[in-house]
Amino acid sequence: MAIPDASASGYPAAILRFAIFVPFGIYYATAGQHWTTIRKHDILQHAPYSPSIGHGELIAARWTKIGFYWNFAIWIPNIIFPGPLVFLVGVFDTAIATMLSLALNSQTKHSPHTFGTCKWGGAETWQVPNGTESFFTVAGRLNSTVASSERMCRDYVQEWKYSMAIVTLYWTIALCNLAFSIISTVSAAKSSTPQSFRKNLIDSAMALPRLIFFILMGLSIIPIIIFRCLPLPIKSRFRFGTRYTVKATEVLPPPEEIKMRMMRPTPIPPSHTRYDTHGAYEQSPNPLADFLNYDILVLIARDLHYVDLINLSLTSKSMRDVVFPGTDHAARSDHFALYTCEPDSKTECWNCTMQTCRGCGFWSHMPQTATLFHLDGCEPYCSSCYFSNVCARKGKAMDNTKCVCAPKPPPSWWKRIMYGETATRVQVAASGTAPSRLLCAMCWDMGSLEVAQRREERTKAELRDPNRCKTCAKCGLGLGRGVRWWVHKQCGKECRSRLHLPWGILGKGRDEEG
């Protein structure tokens, strides 16, 4: 059971917050005007007038500003926050209510409580110190917008009345948040298991950072919207320059040259031989191995699949030496691949590259991954084709040039906390499956999990192979050592995955020529 959220602990305070929007704004504006008048004139800050008047107005001006904007900003979150966070909101509300109470205490001592006290010269005689002019008389004369002691007195009475109402309501808001949050949290702790309660506490602690994150994300969209509304010539050049700068920061390590020592083949005696007493080879009887010479194997291969010859070579050592001898293994493999399998459907196994066809292979729906998606769907473009077909493409005014077709990877622990369990489940479900893949019989026997793991490693190596794509997919010209632009086939937008090589290391091509 989850901790009761806003429906149990946030609504009462949220209703009161909405009710004090207007009076809090009036109190904030009035206190700010009074403090501005006192701050600008030294005569109102010291004797013969009490310094506590200015001190009280200073507290009121500062904390009404904090309280007004806090009350406005936390109104909606106070509804959606879970119980523990509502308690923290209540603590801050208590601090605001305490400071406003201090300001009210000062105003109560030095301000009339009724408008009638200001009439018939009451403003000129209110707390006159040592026969001098009253505070309202001097303040009214120094404030050009009021210009009369009675009007200034009525403003202070109004401020005191609003202060009384705001302090009372704000203490009610603070106590409601504290009380209801404690009640809801305690009831949730009693009705849930320790594991679920601990998980809900973690989710509650991340609610505020999550809210701040989404607010910042919303603010970051504003410059993007402004940029999308710019003319296409400006956008295209800015996009190209920005992406080129980003790719320039991606360091590509130079390929290391691996020198292989030349190995000379040594004749290996057939495994179906044995030694005689004098150390010489003596042939053991194996009629099938003696019968299957190369010419007969070629005739038989026309009616077999390549995997059949593999299985035949695995029956014994003597058959392996006859079908795929160690001294001529590569040539035999090429010849048998030419004669075996169905000619119209002959292809390589998706996993191990061994020859297979529709007759001997098996179709399998493998899970779609990011590496497989980029290998199948992304093509290299030269710089001119990328600029004209991606950066300067004509589309909707708010359209971007970033491909978002790739399947989402499994969400991390941080994303599960930030976005919630529901959003991450939808994200994983949207990944889908890849197209059907043709596997040979040997890979089919491994199982889909092992095949997927082996293919993932091979796919990563193919994506980082500089010799995989040598020409531009759009214009067909050769790609040099310049930057590589990867564009998805379906959407025609740039794929920005770091699985692709950012720079080419081949010979001179169009990008390098200029």
Side-chain angles (χ1 to χ4, degrees), residues 220-234:
S220 65
I221 296 176
I222 297 177
I224 297 177
I225 295 176
I226 296 175
F227 170 76
R228 299 278 174 80
C229 297
L230 295 176
L232 185 59
I234 298 178

Side-chain angles (χ1 to χ4, degrees), residues 39 86 89 96 100 110 127 130 139 156 249 348 363 366 377 391 429 433 446:
R39 179 174 55 83
V86 173
V89 173
I96 295 176
L100 294 180
H110 304 287
Q127 296 182 353
N130 300 325
Y156 271 81
T249 60
E348 290 183 348
W363 292 97
M366 304 300 296
C391 295
T433 57
M446 294 181 187

Side-chain angles (χ1 to χ4, degrees), residues 280-493:
Y281 293 122
E282 182 180 353
Q283 189 75 26
S284 62
N286 193 333
L288 181 59
D290 295 336
F291 174 74
L292 293 178
N293 57 35
Y294 175 72
D295 295 330
I296 295 178
L297 283 173
V298 170
L299 294 176
I300 297 176
R302 298 179 184 274
D303 299 322
L304 297 177
H305 295 285
Y306 189 82
V307 69
D308 296 332
L309 293 178
I310 296 292
N311 293 330
L312 178 62
S313 66
L314 296 176
T315 56
S316 65
K317 293 182 178 180
S318 59
M319 293 305 301
R320 183 192 62 191
D321 293 334
V322 171
V323 180
F324 294 106
T327 57
D328 197 24
H329 185 276
R332 287 288 184 95
S333 299
D334 294 339
H335 292 169
F336 290 150
L338 180 64
Y339 295 116
T340 55
C341 291
E342 300 176 359
D344 55 342
S345 62
K346 189 184 303 185
T347 184
E348 290 183 348
C349 173
W350 178 73
N351 179 45
C352 66
T353 70
M354 186 176 73
Q355 180 176 287
T356 186
C357 64
R358 285 197 301 262
C360 61
F362 299 88
W363 292 97
S364 175
H365 290 278
M366 304 300 296
Q368 179 70 297
T369 62
T371 53
L372 293 176
F373 173 85
H374 296 303
L375 183 67
D376 294 337
C378 299
E379 299 176 326
Y381 274 35
C382 61
S383 295
S384 58
C385 291
Y386 168 76
F387 179 81
S388 58
N389 293 277
V390 179
C391 295
R393 62 180 298 174
K394 294 182 179 180
K396 298 180 180 179
M398 301 303 296
D399 195 11
N400 61 8
T401 60
K402 181 180 178 181
C403 174
V404 293
C405 304
K408 303 296 182 182
S412 61
W413 175 83
W414 174 253
K415 286 186 177 181
R416 288 197 300 271
I417 292 179
M418 288 301 297
Y419 295 100
E421 295 294 338
T422 304
T424 53
R425 282 197 297 268
V426 174
Q427 181 180 3
V428 173
S431 298
T433 57
S436 297
R437 311 290 189 177
L438 185 61
L439 302 177
C440 66
M442 295 182 178
C443 292
W444 175 263
D445 293 336
M446 294 181 187
S448 59
L449 182 60
E450 184 177 356
V451 170
Q453 292 176 352
R454 293 191 178 187
R455 178 62 196 190
E456 187 74 8
E457 297 300 324
R458 177 188 159 198
T459 304
K460 291 179 181 179
E462 290 182 5
L463 286 172
R464 305 296 292 183
D465 183 10
N467 295 316
R468 183 170 66 92
C469 299
K470 301 181 180 180
T471 59
C472 173
K474 193 68 177 179
C475 63
L477 296 179
L479 297 173
R481 299 186 181 182
V483 66
R484 288 286 189 272
W485 307 100
W486 300 92
V487 181
H488 191 247
K489 297 177 182 177
Q490 296 181 357
C491 64
K493 298 180 180 181

